[in-house]
Amino acid sequence: MASGFFALLDDIAAIMDDVAVMTKITTKKTAGILGDDLAVNAEKASGFVSSREIPVLWAITKGSLLNKLIILPLAFLLSAFVPWAIIIILILGGLYLAYEGAEKIYEFIVPHPKAVEVDLKKDFTEQELLDLEKTKIKSAVVTDFILSVEIVIIALGSVVNEPLVTQIIVVSIVALIATIGVYGIVALIVRMDDLGLKLIGKSDDGKGFLFGIGTFLVKALPMVIKSLSVIGTIALLLVAGGIFVHNIDYMHHFLEQIPSVLRDFIVGLAAGFVCLLLVNGVKMLLPKKNGH
């Protein structure tokens, strides 16, 4: 009886050791998406009046947790009953990531009309403000759902050959990190300017150490968000390229003579621009069809 109990403990310890190793590997593979998730949500959570930033961010966080609760069971069912579908979804997700990364580069290089952003710092009535907040929260939660699917599938793809219990624990941990970690950092980022203003207020007549730090934080916020966007774009292409190289047999030995990071970026960028050309081509043809 005692030997059976200790054997059980040994099995649990082995599983947890596997979980720790696989979680570390999986978190590295999803880091690119987490970076993009961070950049996107930092941008979407900014622009509110100071007193509403945290409540709005909390509403988005709850929506993100609900997204994970919907996505995770579906992903585990696929892994248990249709495991080959994970690779297909992974490659489709890679195409989407590559397209998204290439589109951001294209929009940066080629001038285009900017989307009209709703400024929630204007003088609206309380009801109008709440309606605008709900609109932005809904948009953020929808975007989070897409990114969450990508994160979960990439995480699951990293452990698809592991036992189901290990898959469930590892992917659930990564999903939790994706929510708590990302939105925790976003909360710190969107409050940077408020902390800066408080430090400036406590400084001695606009000079000294507190004034310098406060001014830096206020000026750094837009630069941090912009930097995250650039880093997120590069990460998208790297993750997409890695998906193709590791999951498509033909790509296994492609450009082996160059560093793997550069290879993944080149593959991701090439796939992204092919997808971008196809999507833009379809968009150009649609109005002509409607015209007929």
Side-chain angles (χ1 to χ4, degrees):
M1 193 72 177
S3 61
F5 176 73
F6 285 116
L8 177 61
L9 287 180
D10 186 57
D11 289 341
I12 293 172
I15 290 172
M16 295 314 295
D17 186 53
D18 290 341
V19 165
V21 172
M22 294 308 301
T23 301
K24 185 176 179 181
I25 294 170
T26 304
T27 304
K28 284 183 180 179
K29 289 190 177 182
T30 56
I33 308 300
L34 293 176
D36 187 61
D37 199 3
L38 179 59
V40 169
N41 286 296
E43 189 175 357
K44 285 186 176 290
S46 60
F48 297 94
V49 292
S50 179
S51 62
R52 296 298 303 160
E53 282 177 343
I54 297 302
V56 166
L57 189 56
W58 174 236
I60 297 172
T61 304
K62 288 190 290 185
S64 177
L65 286 170
L66 181 60
N67 285 340
K68 305 298 190 301
L69 288 175
I70 295 169
I71 294 165
L72 284 170
L74 294 175
F76 295 138
L77 284 172
L78 280 176
S79 180
F81 298 105
V82 200
W84 53 266
I86 298 298
I87 301 299
I88 294 174
I89 295 172
L90 196 58
I91 292 171
L92 291 174
L95 290 172
Y96 174 79
L97 295 177
Y99 166 76
E100 191 177 315
E103 186 183 37
K104 288 182 179 180
I105 294 173
Y106 174 76
E107 288 179 352
F108 177 77
I109 296 172
V110 180
H112 62 286
K114 293 184 179 179
V116 178
E117 291 290 334
V118 177
D119 185 0
L120 296 183
K121 291 184 178 180
K122 289 182 180 178
D123 293 327
F124 292 106
T125 65
E126 186 176 348
Q127 187 57 48
E128 286 175 333
L129 187 63
L130 288 173
D131 290 341
L132 288 169
E133 281 184 3
K134 286 178 182 177
T135 301
K136 287 200 79 173
I137 289 168
K138 184 178 179 180
S139 172
V141 171
V142 170
T143 301
D144 177 272
F145 185 87
I146 296 169
L147 291 169
S148 295
V149 169
E150 295 166 0
I151 289 167
V152 168
I153 293 300
I154 289 173
L156 196 54
S158 302
V159 292
V160 71
N161 296 320
E162 300 296 321
L164 185 60
V165 173
T166 303
Q167 291 182 28
I168 291 172
I169 297 173
V170 169
V171 177
S172 298
I173 290 173
V174 171
L176 199 59
I177 291 171
T179 301
I180 296 174
V182 167
Y183 287 100
I185 296 172
V186 169
L188 292 175
I189 290 173
V190 298
R191 300 299 286 185
M192 272 177 61
D193 54 348
D194 293 304
L195 176 58
L197 290 172
K198 285 183 181 180
L199 292 175
I200 291 171
K202 291 182 179 180
S203 63
D204 298 325
D205 298 325
K207 55 186 178 181
F209 178 74
L210 290 180
F211 178 79
I213 295 295
T215 303
F216 171 77
L217 290 174
V218 171
K219 291 182 177 179
L221 178 58
M223 290 188 288
V224 167
I225 292 176
K226 194 171 290 185
S227 298
L228 284 171
S229 181
V230 173
I231 294 168
T233 300
I234 294 170
L236 282 174
L237 296 172
L238 286 172
V239 172
I243 289 172
F244 302 140
V245 169
H246 294 105
N247 292 284
I248 300 175
D249 291 338
Y250 175 77
M251 302 295 296
H252 287 343
H253 304 292
F254 182 71
L255 295 177
E256 279 187 314
Q257 64 274 21
I258 65 174
S260 59
V261 172
L262 182 58
R263 177 185 62 176
D264 290 351
F265 181 80
I266 291 171
V267 170
L269 187 62
F273 273 106
V274 169
C275 291
L276 184 64
L277 286 171
L278 290 172
V279 171
N280 286 348
V282 170
K283 285 180 180 178
M284 289 175 67
L285 291 173
L286 284 177
K288 293 181 182 179
K289 288 183 178 180
N290 293 335
H292 291 297

